[in-house]
Amino acid sequence: MNPDFRLSPHDKGWVAGVLDSEGSISFHRMKHGPGRFSVDIYNTSLKFLQEFKKIVGHKGDIYAPRRKKTTGWGRQVVYELCLTHSAEIVNLLSEIQDSLIIKKELANKAIELMKTKKQYFTKNFARCFTPPPKKTVPVVNQHLELF
């Protein structure tokens, strides 16, 4: 994503709605190295993901499942758009963070960690994602407190 690239107010709302409903913001731990953040969008329509990619101006990759199960009720092919470049993810999340509803807190924490990289490149990074052992957290809030 070009740093000068800006989404229109309509596109910001649309992209935020897609990310809130069909996407995920996640951190992947690596056996060797610091790990990485990714933004993934899942949908059964390849054209939908291509349009999303065109609107946000990303270089992300679209993946199809390795094994296609096309028989039986509800067995559609689900495609995945995966965005993994940290700078592009920060730009995208920064641009749409005010329009997000469900993943707003998660996006803010991911932006903060990617910008500061304070704990991003340490071995103890997992502590940022794991609630303290003795603290009881309701199931609904536990998802948000992982970041």
Side-chain angles (χ1 to χ4, degrees), residues 115-131:
K115 280 186 176 180
T116 61
K117 297 185 182 182
K118 187 187 290 183
Q119 296 171 331
Y120 186 57
F121 292 106
T122 67
K123 290 182 180 180
N124 297 324
F125 185 69
R127 292 181 186 163
C128 297
F129 296 93
T130 311

